[in-house]
Amino acid sequence: MKQPKELKVKPIKNGTVIDHITANKSLNVLKILNLPNSESNLTIAMNVQSSNLDRKDILKIENRELAPNEVDQIALISPNSTINIIRDYEVVDKAKIGLLNEINGLLKCSNPNCITNTNEPVENKFYVINKEPVTLRCHYCERLMEEHEIESQF
Ligand code: CTP
Ligand code: ZN
């Protein structure tokens, strides 16, 4: 009997590959990236085998080179991902994605009385006080936000 051939995710010619995303988190990663009306070809691979026995997700964005500062916030939900820049099929740049010390304008404070949750025109702002597991502190009300409260926002 003929065995079906294994389907592999195609290499891309130019663009960005975000690799080693925590398994099943790629859709959340995509939300964080918030690529505005992207016309780029997107390939998402979920739950694929990594080089070791672990599973991971991969995101390939064709014809667009994301800058490290555009992807750093991904570390909030996927601490071990890498960003690879591809030109003419070659990886020309590879970097580990790392959390910045501040997260601005991305998350809602879990304290309902926080000034950022009122009608005041104040942008939310958190300090990263621990990276793994992630713990953030609100600049305004000092409320601590733990990983599950952060993940549930994406
Ligand atoms: N990749 C791609 N298209 C290319 C080249 C690479 O989509 N033309 C993808 C690979 O599939 C991989 C990632 O980009 O998911 C990084 O490629 P590479 O550095 O060649 O792979 P590894 O050595 O396995 O990377 P690492 O050491 O970071 O695990
Ligand atoms: Zn707050």
Short mmCIF file of all heavy atoms in Angstrom, two decimals, residues 16-36 42-46 56-61 66 70-83 97 106 150-151 153-154:
data_model
loop_
_atom_site.label_atom_id
_atom_site.label_comp_id
_atom_site.label_asym_id
_atom_site.label_seq_id
_atom_site.Cartn_x
_atom_site.Cartn_y
_atom_site.Cartn_z
N THR A 16 10.07 36.80 7.63
CA THR A 16 10.39 36.57 9.04
C THR A 16 9.81 35.24 9.49
O THR A 16 8.66 34.93 9.19
CB THR A 16 9.77 37.69 9.91
OG1 THR A 16 10.20 38.95 9.42
CG2 THR A 16 10.19 37.55 11.37
N VAL A 17 10.62 34.46 10.19
CA VAL A 17 10.11 33.23 10.80
C VAL A 17 10.24 33.37 12.31
O VAL A 17 11.33 33.63 12.83
CB VAL A 17 10.90 31.98 10.33
CG1 VAL A 17 10.43 30.74 11.09
CG2 VAL A 17 10.75 31.78 8.83
N ILE A 18 9.12 33.24 13.01
CA ILE A 18 9.17 33.19 14.47
C ILE A 18 9.05 31.72 14.84
O ILE A 18 8.06 31.06 14.54
CB ILE A 18 8.06 34.05 15.09
CG1 ILE A 18 8.25 35.49 14.62
CG2 ILE A 18 8.13 33.99 16.61
CD1 ILE A 18 7.16 36.44 15.04
N ASP A 19 10.09 31.22 15.45
CA ASP A 19 10.25 29.78 15.68
C ASP A 19 10.27 29.49 17.18
O ASP A 19 10.43 30.40 17.99
CB ASP A 19 11.57 29.35 15.02
CG ASP A 19 11.65 27.85 14.79
OD1 ASP A 19 10.69 27.13 15.12
OD2 ASP A 19 12.68 27.40 14.28
N HIS A 20 10.11 28.23 17.51
CA HIS A 20 10.14 27.79 18.92
C HIS A 20 9.08 28.49 19.77
O HIS A 20 9.33 28.81 20.93
CB HIS A 20 11.53 27.99 19.53
CG HIS A 20 12.61 27.24 18.80
ND1 HIS A 20 12.78 25.88 18.90
CD2 HIS A 20 13.55 27.67 17.92
CE1 HIS A 20 13.79 25.51 18.13
NE2 HIS A 20 14.28 26.57 17.51
N ILE A 21 7.94 28.75 19.16
CA ILE A 21 6.82 29.30 19.93
C ILE A 21 6.25 28.19 20.80
O ILE A 21 6.12 27.05 20.34
CB ILE A 21 5.73 29.85 18.97
CG1 ILE A 21 6.31 30.97 18.08
CG2 ILE A 21 4.51 30.33 19.74
CD1 ILE A 21 5.37 31.41 16.96
N THR A 22 5.93 28.50 22.03
CA THR A 22 5.31 27.51 22.92
C THR A 22 4.13 26.86 22.20
O THR A 22 3.32 27.56 21.57
CB THR A 22 4.81 28.21 24.20
OG1 THR A 22 5.91 28.90 24.80
CG2 THR A 22 4.23 27.22 25.19
N ALA A 23 4.04 25.53 22.25
CA ALA A 23 3.02 24.80 21.51
C ALA A 23 1.63 25.38 21.74
O ALA A 23 1.26 25.71 22.87
CB ALA A 23 3.04 23.32 21.90
N ASN A 24 0.90 25.55 20.66
CA ASN A 24 -0.48 26.05 20.65
C ASN A 24 -0.64 27.53 20.97
O ASN A 24 -1.75 28.00 21.19
CB ASN A 24 -1.36 25.24 21.62
CG ASN A 24 -1.51 23.82 21.16
OD1 ASN A 24 -1.84 23.57 20.01
ND2 ASN A 24 -1.24 22.88 22.05
N LYS A 25 0.44 28.28 21.00
CA LYS A 25 0.34 29.71 21.34
C LYS A 25 0.44 30.62 20.11
O LYS A 25 0.42 31.85 20.25
CB LYS A 25 1.44 30.09 22.34
CG LYS A 25 1.28 29.49 23.71
CD LYS A 25 0.11 30.13 24.44
CE LYS A 25 -0.10 29.50 25.80
NZ LYS A 25 -1.42 29.78 26.33
N SER A 26 0.56 30.04 18.92
CA SER A 26 0.83 30.90 17.75
C SER A 26 -0.31 31.88 17.44
O SER A 26 -0.05 33.00 16.98
CB SER A 26 1.14 30.06 16.52
OG SER A 26 0.17 29.07 16.34
N LEU A 27 -1.54 31.48 17.71
CA LEU A 27 -2.64 32.41 17.43
C LEU A 27 -2.62 33.59 18.40
O LEU A 27 -2.91 34.73 18.03
CB LEU A 27 -3.99 31.68 17.48
CG LEU A 27 -4.16 30.60 16.42
CD1 LEU A 27 -5.50 29.90 16.57
CD2 LEU A 27 -4.02 31.17 15.02
N ASN A 28 -2.22 33.31 19.64
CA ASN A 28 -2.07 34.40 20.61
C ASN A 28 -0.90 35.30 20.23
O ASN A 28 -0.97 36.52 20.36
CB ASN A 28 -1.83 33.82 22.01
CG ASN A 28 -2.85 32.77 22.38
OD1 ASN A 28 -2.84 31.69 21.81
ND2 ASN A 28 -3.73 33.07 23.29
N VAL A 29 0.17 34.67 19.74
CA VAL A 29 1.32 35.45 19.27
C VAL A 29 0.89 36.39 18.14
O VAL A 29 1.25 37.57 18.12
CB VAL A 29 2.45 34.51 18.80
CG1 VAL A 29 3.49 35.26 17.97
CG2 VAL A 29 3.11 33.85 20.00
N LEU A 30 0.07 35.89 17.26
CA LEU A 30 -0.41 36.68 16.14
C LEU A 30 -1.20 37.90 16.63
O LEU A 30 -1.10 38.99 16.08
CB LEU A 30 -1.29 35.78 15.27
CG LEU A 30 -1.33 36.02 13.79
CD1 LEU A 30 0.05 36.18 13.20
CD2 LEU A 30 -2.04 34.85 13.12
N LYS A 31 -1.99 37.68 17.67
CA LYS A 31 -2.76 38.80 18.24
C LYS A 31 -1.83 39.87 18.79
O LYS A 31 -2.06 41.05 18.61
CB LYS A 31 -3.65 38.29 19.39
CG LYS A 31 -4.98 37.81 18.93
CD LYS A 31 -5.91 37.69 20.13
CE LYS A 31 -7.07 36.76 19.80
NZ LYS A 31 -7.74 36.29 21.01
N ILE A 32 -0.78 39.44 19.47
CA ILE A 32 0.18 40.41 20.03
C ILE A 32 0.86 41.17 18.90
O ILE A 32 1.07 42.38 18.99
CB ILE A 32 1.23 39.70 20.92
CG1 ILE A 32 0.56 39.17 22.19
CG2 ILE A 32 2.37 40.65 21.28
CD1 ILE A 32 1.50 38.51 23.16
N LEU A 33 1.18 40.48 17.82
CA LEU A 33 1.88 41.14 16.71
C LEU A 33 1.00 42.18 16.04
O LEU A 33 1.49 43.20 15.56
CB LEU A 33 2.32 40.12 15.67
CG LEU A 33 3.51 39.25 16.06
CD1 LEU A 33 3.82 38.27 14.95
CD2 LEU A 33 4.72 40.12 16.37
N ASN A 34 -0.31 41.91 16.00
CA ASN A 34 -1.26 42.88 15.49
C ASN A 34 -0.81 43.47 14.14
O ASN A 34 -0.74 44.68 13.98
CB ASN A 34 -1.43 43.99 16.55
CG ASN A 34 -2.57 44.92 16.20
OD1 ASN A 34 -3.49 44.54 15.50
ND2 ASN A 34 -2.48 46.15 16.69
N LEU A 35 -0.47 42.61 13.21
CA LEU A 35 -0.01 43.05 11.90
C LEU A 35 -1.17 43.75 11.21
O LEU A 35 -2.16 43.11 10.88
CB LEU A 35 0.45 41.84 11.07
CG LEU A 35 1.52 40.97 11.71
CD1 LEU A 35 1.73 39.70 10.90
CD2 LEU A 35 2.80 41.73 11.89
N PRO A 36 -1.08 45.06 11.01
CA PRO A 36 -2.24 45.78 10.50
C PRO A 36 -2.50 45.45 9.03
O PRO A 36 -1.63 45.65 8.19
CB PRO A 36 -1.86 47.25 10.69
CG PRO A 36 -0.38 47.27 10.87
CD PRO A 36 0.10 45.88 11.17
N LEU A 42 0.88 34.31 5.26
CA LEU A 42 1.17 33.84 6.61
C LEU A 42 1.07 32.33 6.64
O LEU A 42 0.10 31.76 6.14
CB LEU A 42 0.10 34.35 7.56
CG LEU A 42 0.32 35.61 8.37
CD1 LEU A 42 -0.86 35.79 9.30
CD2 LEU A 42 1.60 35.50 9.17
N THR A 43 2.05 31.69 7.23
CA THR A 43 1.95 30.25 7.43
C THR A 43 2.06 29.97 8.92
O THR A 43 2.99 30.46 9.58
CB THR A 43 3.08 29.48 6.72
OG1 THR A 43 3.12 29.92 5.36
CG2 THR A 43 2.84 27.99 6.76
N ILE A 44 1.12 29.22 9.45
CA ILE A 44 1.16 28.86 10.86
C ILE A 44 1.29 27.35 10.96
O ILE A 44 0.51 26.63 10.33
CB ILE A 44 -0.12 29.31 11.59
CG1 ILE A 44 -0.32 30.80 11.43
CG2 ILE A 44 -0.09 28.92 13.06
CD1 ILE A 44 -1.63 31.30 12.02
N ALA A 45 2.26 26.89 11.71
CA ALA A 45 2.36 25.46 11.99
C ALA A 45 2.18 25.27 13.49
O ALA A 45 2.87 25.91 14.28
CB ALA A 45 3.71 24.93 11.54
N MET A 46 1.21 24.44 13.86
CA MET A 46 0.95 24.25 15.28
C MET A 46 1.31 22.85 15.71
O MET A 46 1.08 21.89 14.98
CB MET A 46 -0.52 24.54 15.60
CG MET A 46 -0.86 26.01 15.41
SD MET A 46 -2.58 26.39 15.75
CE MET A 46 -2.54 26.49 17.54
N LYS A 56 6.20 22.44 19.25
CA LYS A 56 6.29 23.89 19.16
C LYS A 56 5.38 24.39 18.05
O LYS A 56 4.87 23.61 17.24
CB LYS A 56 7.73 24.31 18.85
CG LYS A 56 8.19 23.83 17.46
CD LYS A 56 9.54 24.39 17.06
CE LYS A 56 9.95 23.89 15.68
NZ LYS A 56 11.25 24.40 15.24
N ASP A 57 5.17 25.69 17.99
CA ASP A 57 4.48 26.34 16.89
C ASP A 57 5.49 27.18 16.11
O ASP A 57 6.52 27.60 16.66
CB ASP A 57 3.38 27.29 17.40
CG ASP A 57 2.16 26.54 17.92
OD1 ASP A 57 2.22 25.31 18.06
OD2 ASP A 57 1.15 27.21 18.19
N ILE A 58 5.19 27.42 14.84
CA ILE A 58 6.05 28.26 14.00
C ILE A 58 5.15 29.22 13.22
O ILE A 58 4.05 28.83 12.80
CB ILE A 58 6.84 27.42 12.96
CG1 ILE A 58 7.57 26.25 13.63
CG2 ILE A 58 7.84 28.29 12.20
CD1 ILE A 58 8.15 25.25 12.62
N LEU A 59 5.61 30.43 13.05
CA LEU A 59 4.88 31.44 12.30
C LEU A 59 5.80 31.98 11.22
O LEU A 59 6.91 32.41 11.51
CB LEU A 59 4.53 32.56 13.28
CG LEU A 59 3.33 33.44 13.08
CD1 LEU A 59 2.07 32.60 13.03
CD2 LEU A 59 3.25 34.42 14.24
N LYS A 60 5.34 31.94 9.96
CA LYS A 60 6.16 32.47 8.86
C LYS A 60 5.42 33.61 8.19
O LYS A 60 4.30 33.45 7.73
CB LYS A 60 6.46 31.36 7.84
CG LYS A 60 7.17 30.16 8.47
CD LYS A 60 7.73 29.21 7.44
CE LYS A 60 8.39 28.02 8.15
NZ LYS A 60 9.19 27.21 7.24
N ILE A 61 6.06 34.74 8.13
CA ILE A 61 5.46 35.95 7.55
C ILE A 61 6.30 36.33 6.34
O ILE A 61 7.46 36.72 6.48
CB ILE A 61 5.46 37.10 8.58
CG1 ILE A 61 4.75 36.67 9.86
CG2 ILE A 61 4.83 38.36 7.99
CD1 ILE A 61 5.25 37.34 11.11
N LEU A 66 10.25 41.79 10.33
CA LEU A 66 9.87 42.42 11.59
C LEU A 66 11.13 42.76 12.36
O LEU A 66 12.12 42.04 12.32
CB LEU A 66 9.00 41.47 12.41
CG LEU A 66 7.65 41.09 11.80
CD1 LEU A 66 6.91 40.11 12.73
CD2 LEU A 66 6.79 42.32 11.58
N GLU A 70 9.54 44.90 17.54
CA GLU A 70 8.14 44.64 17.22
C GLU A 70 7.68 43.30 17.77
O GLU A 70 6.49 43.04 17.86
CB GLU A 70 7.93 44.59 15.69
CG GLU A 70 8.03 45.92 14.99
CD GLU A 70 7.78 45.74 13.49
OE1 GLU A 70 6.62 45.82 13.08
OE2 GLU A 70 8.76 45.51 12.76
N VAL A 71 8.62 42.44 18.10
CA VAL A 71 8.25 41.09 18.51
C VAL A 71 8.54 40.78 19.98
O VAL A 71 8.11 39.77 20.50
CB VAL A 71 8.94 40.01 17.62
CG1 VAL A 71 8.58 40.19 16.17
CG2 VAL A 71 10.44 40.01 17.81
N ASP A 72 9.25 41.68 20.66
CA ASP A 72 9.68 41.40 22.03
C ASP A 72 8.52 41.03 22.96
O ASP A 72 8.68 40.19 23.85
CB ASP A 72 10.40 42.61 22.62
CG ASP A 72 11.85 42.65 22.17
OD1 ASP A 72 12.38 41.59 21.79
OD2 ASP A 72 12.45 43.74 22.18
N GLN A 73 7.36 41.62 22.75
CA GLN A 73 6.26 41.37 23.68
C GLN A 73 5.71 39.94 23.59
O GLN A 73 5.00 39.49 24.47
CB GLN A 73 5.15 42.38 23.44
CG GLN A 73 5.61 43.78 23.88
CD GLN A 73 4.63 44.86 23.54
OE1 GLN A 73 3.98 44.78 22.50
NE2 GLN A 73 4.51 45.86 24.38
N ILE A 74 6.10 39.25 22.53
CA ILE A 74 5.71 37.85 22.40
C ILE A 74 6.19 37.04 23.61
O ILE A 74 5.56 36.07 24.03
CB ILE A 74 6.30 37.25 21.11
CG1 ILE A 74 5.62 37.84 19.89
CG2 ILE A 74 6.20 35.75 21.09
CD1 ILE A 74 6.28 37.43 18.60
N ALA A 75 7.32 37.46 24.18
CA ALA A 75 7.89 36.73 25.31
C ALA A 75 6.93 36.66 26.50
O ALA A 75 7.08 35.82 27.38
CB ALA A 75 9.22 37.35 25.73
N LEU A 76 5.92 37.53 26.51
CA LEU A 76 4.92 37.47 27.58
C LEU A 76 4.23 36.12 27.63
O LEU A 76 3.86 35.64 28.70
CB LEU A 76 3.83 38.53 27.32
CG LEU A 76 4.09 39.96 27.76
CD1 LEU A 76 2.95 40.83 27.28
CD2 LEU A 76 4.25 40.04 29.26
N ILE A 77 4.00 35.51 26.46
CA ILE A 77 3.27 34.25 26.44
C ILE A 77 4.09 33.10 25.86
O ILE A 77 3.68 31.96 25.91
CB ILE A 77 1.95 34.37 25.64
CG1 ILE A 77 2.22 34.88 24.23
CG2 ILE A 77 0.97 35.26 26.36
CD1 ILE A 77 1.07 34.60 23.31
N SER A 78 5.25 33.40 25.30
CA SER A 78 6.09 32.36 24.72
C SER A 78 7.56 32.72 24.96
O SER A 78 8.18 33.38 24.13
CB SER A 78 5.79 32.25 23.22
OG SER A 78 6.66 31.34 22.61
N PRO A 79 8.10 32.33 26.10
CA PRO A 79 9.40 32.85 26.54
C PRO A 79 10.62 32.38 25.76
O PRO A 79 11.67 32.98 25.87
CB PRO A 79 9.49 32.40 28.01
CG PRO A 79 8.54 31.27 28.13
CD PRO A 79 7.47 31.48 27.12
N ASN A 80 10.48 31.32 24.95
CA ASN A 80 11.70 30.79 24.30
C ASN A 80 11.70 30.91 22.79
O ASN A 80 12.42 30.19 22.11
CB ASN A 80 11.89 29.32 24.70
CG ASN A 80 12.10 29.18 26.19
OD1 ASN A 80 12.94 29.87 26.76
ND2 ASN A 80 11.32 28.33 26.82
N SER A 81 10.92 31.81 22.25
CA SER A 81 10.88 31.89 20.79
C SER A 81 12.09 32.63 20.22
O SER A 81 12.77 33.39 20.90
CB SER A 81 9.58 32.52 20.32
OG SER A 81 8.91 33.17 21.34
N THR A 82 12.31 32.38 18.93
CA THR A 82 13.39 33.08 18.22
C THR A 82 12.79 33.78 17.01
O THR A 82 11.78 33.35 16.46
CB THR A 82 14.48 32.10 17.72
OG1 THR A 82 13.88 31.08 16.95
CG2 THR A 82 15.24 31.48 18.87
N ILE A 83 13.47 34.84 16.58
CA ILE A 83 13.07 35.52 15.34
C ILE A 83 14.20 35.31 14.34
O ILE A 83 15.38 35.50 14.65
CB ILE A 83 12.76 37.01 15.59
CG1 ILE A 83 12.54 37.74 14.26
CG2 ILE A 83 13.83 37.72 16.41
CD1 ILE A 83 12.04 39.17 14.42
N ILE A 97 13.95 36.01 21.38
CA ILE A 97 13.02 37.07 21.74
C ILE A 97 13.03 37.24 23.25
O ILE A 97 12.83 36.27 23.98
CB ILE A 97 11.60 36.73 21.22
CG1 ILE A 97 11.61 36.80 19.68
CG2 ILE A 97 10.57 37.66 21.82
CD1 ILE A 97 10.36 36.33 19.03
N LEU A 106 -0.43 47.69 25.95
CA LEU A 106 -0.83 46.37 25.43
C LEU A 106 -1.83 45.66 26.32
O LEU A 106 -2.74 44.99 25.83
CB LEU A 106 0.43 45.50 25.27
CG LEU A 106 0.23 44.13 24.64
CD1 LEU A 106 -0.07 44.24 23.16
CD2 LEU A 106 1.47 43.26 24.83
N ILE A 150 -2.41 37.55 32.39
CA ILE A 150 -1.86 38.11 31.15
C ILE A 150 -2.32 37.26 29.96
O ILE A 150 -2.83 37.79 28.97
CB ILE A 150 -0.32 38.15 31.23
CG1 ILE A 150 0.11 39.07 32.37
CG2 ILE A 150 0.28 38.58 29.90
CD1 ILE A 150 1.53 38.88 32.81
N GLU A 151 -2.17 35.94 30.11
CA GLU A 151 -2.54 35.04 29.00
C GLU A 151 -4.01 35.17 28.63
O GLU A 151 -4.36 35.06 27.46
CB GLU A 151 -2.25 33.60 29.38
CG GLU A 151 -0.77 33.33 29.49
CD GLU A 151 -0.43 31.87 29.21
OE1 GLU A 151 -1.36 31.06 29.12
OE2 GLU A 151 0.76 31.58 29.08
N GLN A 153 -5.74 37.57 28.32
CA GLN A 153 -6.07 38.79 27.55
C GLN A 153 -5.78 38.63 26.06
O GLN A 153 -6.07 39.53 25.27
CB GLN A 153 -5.29 39.98 28.10
CG GLN A 153 -5.68 40.33 29.51
CD GLN A 153 -5.19 41.68 29.95
OE1 GLN A 153 -4.95 42.58 29.15
NE2 GLN A 153 -5.04 41.85 31.26
N PHE A 154 -5.22 37.49 25.68
CA PHE A 154 -4.93 37.30 24.25
C PHE A 154 -5.68 36.11 23.68
O PHE A 154 -5.93 35.16 24.32
CB PHE A 154 -3.43 37.09 24.04
CG PHE A 154 -2.63 38.27 24.47
CD1 PHE A 154 -1.90 38.23 25.65
CD2 PHE A 154 -2.64 39.45 23.74
CE1 PHE A 154 -1.18 39.33 26.07
CE2 PHE A 154 -1.93 40.54 24.16
CZ PHE A 154 -1.19 40.49 25.32
#
